[in-house]
Amino acid sequence: MNTDSTEIFIIPIGDKYAKKPDHVNIIYSPLHKICCLADQSTALQLSNDLYLKNREKQPFIPPLKQSPDEYTTLSLLPNHICNFRCKYCYSAAGRSKTIIERDKLKRGLDFFVNPDRIPPQTLKMFISGGGEPLLTWEDTKFAITYACERALEYGFTLWVSIISNGSVINEEIINTLEKYKCSICISFEVLEPLQNELRGNYRKVCNTLREYGKTDIPVMLNSTITPLSIPYMEEMVQEVMDQYPFVRNYTLEPVTDYTLFESPEAMRDFYRQFSNTYRKIRALYSQNKTSLWFTLEEMADTLKMRYCPGKLCLTPEGTFSICHCTSSPLEERYQKCQYGQVTNEGVTFDLKKFRALIHTNGLSREKCKDCFARWNCGGECLTRWDQYPAAYMDEVCRFNRGWLCEELEIRLDKQYREERGMSLREVINSYK
C-alpha cells in the first residue's frame, strides 16, 4: 500500500508472527531511509506523521543514464562460439562462428577508453559470452592488452575480469592475466554429478581451477542454482571452502530460465528454498575468507530507478546491446535491444532508442507503482519482463518483495536488540 507521494509504504507482516496481517506493520520509505515497526492502531497515524515531517525534504532520486557516454563499464562479448551445452544457457539460440572483427573491436575500445568522452577515472571491462571468450584467445588477448595500454596512456585505471566456463587455460593466458592484473570468474556447478548433468567437463574445469589457484590471479566462482541443484547448495558451498580455498568470491544465482519449472507454484517453492538455504549458509560462512554473494544481497541498501543501469555491451556483431543476454541476430530480442554500432567512421548510437530502453523501469510499469520494493529492485529485469509469462513474473516479484521484507526485519531485529535488549519477535509479542 502506497500512502502518499513521499513513497511511504505500510507493509503488513503480522501473519509471520501468528497474528492478523495488519496487526503488525513495517513503515518503510526507501527514499527517506525510514524503517520502523507499528501496530494496527498506530500504523496509519505514524505514516501520516512521517509524511508531514518529510514532505518538504528533497530525497535522493537515483539518476538514469541519458547517454552511452556516461558508462564506465563495458561488457565485451568477443564471439558466439561455445564448447559447452549448458541446459539453462540464456544465449544458446545465438550460437554461431561469429567473432568480432579486429577493427571494430579496436574502435569500440577507442570509444570506451577515451578522455574526450569521459574524464580519466576507474573503468571496468567484463569479457564474457556470447560464447566462451577464451576459445578465441587472440582476440581476447588483444582486447586486454590494447585496452589496458590505452588506459595507462590516458590516465585511466582499468579493471578487467573474464567470465569463463573453465575449459581453456595455458601459460600465455596465465601470464597475460597476471601482467594486466585481470581477475577470472569461472561458471561451475562444483559437485561432479551436477556439473556433468548441467554443463559437463567436470574434471577439465577442476584442473583449470587448480591451475589458477597456483597463480596470483584473483579467482571467483559462479554457480547457477536450478531445481536439480537447490537441495545441494550447502554441500556446494562446503566443497568450495574445502577444495578451492583460494576462491575470493562465490556467487550462487537462481536460474533465470522459467521453462525449468512446471508451474508458477513450483517456481515459488524453488525461490522459498533458495532464500531459506542461502540465508542459512550466509550465516554459517560469514567469517570465511571466501565471500558469498547473490544479486539481491545489497537490495535493501541500493536505490535505483532501473534494475540494471543498462549495458554498454559490445557484441560479436560490432553492435551495442542494452543487455549482455541479447547479442546475436539469431535471438528474438536482438533488434529490440541494439542501440548502437561500430562503423568505419567510429561509434554511432540511436539515442532515442537508448533512452526508450533506459526509461523502461520501475516508474514506467503500472504494476510497480504501488510496490514497496520498486526503488530497491528498480522494476526488475527487462529480459525477464520480455520472456516470462505473467504468472511466472508474479513469482519473481513475490521473491523480490519477500527477500526485501526479510532484510528489513533482520535490521529491525538488530536495532531492537541494541536499543532495547529485545528481539523483533519479543517486541511484536508485546503488542496487544
Side-chain angles (χ1 to χ4, degrees):
M1 173 182 175
N2 185 353
T3 61
D4 51 62
S5 60
T6 61
E7 300 284 335
I8 296 175
F9 298 89
I10 299 176
I11 310 171
I13 61 169
D15 54 334
K16 297 183 178 182
Y17 300 90
K19 298 179 182 294
K20 292 182 179 179
D22 62 353
H23 191 82
V24 184
N25 303 274
I26 293 176
I27 311 301
Y28 179 55
S29 176
L31 297 183
H32 292 284
K33 298 183 178 180
I34 295 169
C35 181
C36 56
L37 204 63
D39 61 16
Q40 185 177 28
S41 61
T42 61
L44 193 56
Q45 183 60 52
L46 178 57
S47 67
N48 288 334
D49 291 345
L50 290 169
Y51 164 71
L52 294 173
K53 181 180 179 180
N54 290 280
R55 62 180 174 175
E56 301 301 326
K57 296 180 180 179
Q58 293 298 317
F60 169 74
I61 305 294
L64 289 169
K65 306 287 187 191
Q66 296 300 312
S67 164
D69 284 335
E70 298 178 32
Y71 283 113
T72 57
T73 298
L74 174 69
S75 180
L76 171 63
L77 313 183
N79 64 61
H80 287 309
I81 304 167
C82 192
N83 55 344
F84 280 18
R85 292 293 180 267
C86 305
K87 291 191 174 180
Y88 47 73
C89 181
Y90 60 79
S91 62
R95 291 281 176 265
S96 72
K97 296 181 180 180
T98 303
I99 304 169
I100 191 168
E101 296 175 17
R102 183 64 59 87
D103 286 347
K104 290 184 177 180
L105 174 56
K106 181 177 180 295
R107 287 194 290 272
L109 295 173
D110 286 342
F111 167 80
F112 180 59
V113 186
N114 186 346
D116 294 330
R117 177 183 76 90
I118 196 168
Q121 57 191 278
T122 297
L123 303 176
K124 297 179 181 180
M125 181 167 69
F126 292 91
I127 305 176
S128 61
E132 165 51 46
L134 297 182
L135 286 176
T136 52
W137 168 241
E138 290 304 318
D139 299 283
T140 298
K141 179 184 177 183
F142 172 81
I144 295 169
T145 56
Y146 183 79
C148 287
E149 296 295 340
R150 184 175 171 85
L152 183 64
E153 177 183 356
Y154 289 107
F156 290 90
T157 298
L158 181 62
W159 185 88
V160 180
S161 185
I162 297 177
I163 295 87
S164 171
N165 63 22
S167 65
V168 182
I169 190 170
N170 57 47
E171 186 175 352
E172 186 182 33
I173 291 173
I174 290 173
N175 291 340
T176 302
L177 300 193
E178 287 185 326
K179 178 180 178 179
Y180 293 103
K181 296 180 170 57
C182 304
S183 64
I184 190 156
C185 179
I186 294 180
S187 299
F188 184 42
E189 306 313 335
V190 179
L191 302 179
E192 185 168 7
L194 297 179
Q195 175 73 12
N196 286 337
E197 175 65 22
L198 295 170
R199 299 175 63 83
N201 298 282
Y202 172 79
R203 293 296 174 190
K204 179 180 288 188
V205 180
C206 284
N207 292 336
T208 297
L209 257 178
R210 292 196 169 94
E211 287 301 310
Y212 279 121
K214 299 173 186 176
T215 73
D216 293 326
I217 298 167
V219 180
M220 295 164 282
L221 284 184
N222 175 74
S223 292
T224 299
I225 304 302
T226 70
L228 178 66
S229 58
I230 199 162
Y232 303 98
M233 282 177 63
E234 190 170 349
E235 184 179 348
M236 293 166 73
V237 173
Q238 186 62 59
E239 180 79 359
V240 171
M241 304 305 178
D242 292 343
Q243 299 299 322
Y244 313 104
F246 52 85
V247 169
R248 300 192 182 186
N249 303 93
Y250 181 31
T251 299
L252 298 105
E253 204 65 43
V255 68
T256 58
D257 184 357
Y258 79 90
T259 64
L260 297 181
F261 303 95
E262 61 183 16
S263 67
E265 291 75 22
M267 178 182 276
R268 182 187 309 175
D269 185 59
F270 169 81
Y271 281 144
R272 178 189 58 78
Q273 292 182 64
F274 179 89
S275 180
N276 291 342
T277 306
Y278 185 83
R279 290 186 190 281
K280 176 184 176 182
I281 59 179
R282 183 176 67 178
L284 285 173
Y285 296 96
S286 61
Q287 303 303 313
N288 198 283
K289 67 178 182 179
T290 299
S291 61
L292 299 177
W293 177 257
F294 107 99
T295 301
L296 299 187
E297 274 282 8
E298 293 182 347
M299 188 182 191
D301 295 312
T302 306
L303 297 182
K304 50 193 174 185
M305 292 178 66
R306 196 176 190 276
Y307 176 79
C308 80
K311 295 290 179 69
L312 181 69
C313 177
L314 180 56
T315 78
E317 312 296 328
T319 59
F320 288 94
S321 175
I322 200 71
C323 177
H324 69 278
C325 294
T326 305
S327 60
S328 166
L330 299 175
E331 295 166 327
E332 184 178 347
R333 300 172 60 246
Y334 179 76
Q335 293 302 325
K336 174 180 179 176
C337 293
Q338 307 313 301
Y339 63 85
Q341 60 184 333
V342 181
T343 69
N344 291 333
E345 290 72 38
V347 170
T348 63
F349 297 106
D350 182 337
L351 291 181
K352 182 177 180 181
K353 186 175 183 181
F354 172 81
R355 289 168 183 159
L357 289 164
I358 286 293
H359 282 85
T360 303
N361 54 52
L363 299 188
S364 66
R365 291 191 177 92
E366 183 69 18
K367 182 178 178 181
C368 299
K369 76 172 186 178
D370 290 324
C371 177
F372 68 84
R374 73 172 182 163
W375 288 102
N376 301 99
C377 87
E380 248 300 325
C381 173
L382 176 65
T383 295
R384 288 196 184 102
W385 279 106
D386 284 348
Q387 295 181 337
Y388 280 37
Y392 285 88
M393 199 64 213
D394 286 344
E395 297 306 325
V396 174
C397 294
R398 186 193 303 272
F399 176 50
N400 288 345
R401 291 193 301 270
W403 179 269
L404 176 59
C405 190
E406 287 190 41
E407 287 295 299
L408 298 179
E409 291 174 68
I410 290 170
R411 293 174 185 216
L412 285 171
D413 180 77
K414 180 180 179 182
Q415 176 184 327
Y416 286 132
R417 289 179 187 273
E418 293 174 350
E419 296 176 355
R420 304 187 190 183
M422 300 172 65
S423 68
L424 177 64
R425 184 172 292 277
E426 287 171 329
V427 173
I428 290 172
N429 287 340
S430 70
Y431 288 171
K432 298 181 179 179

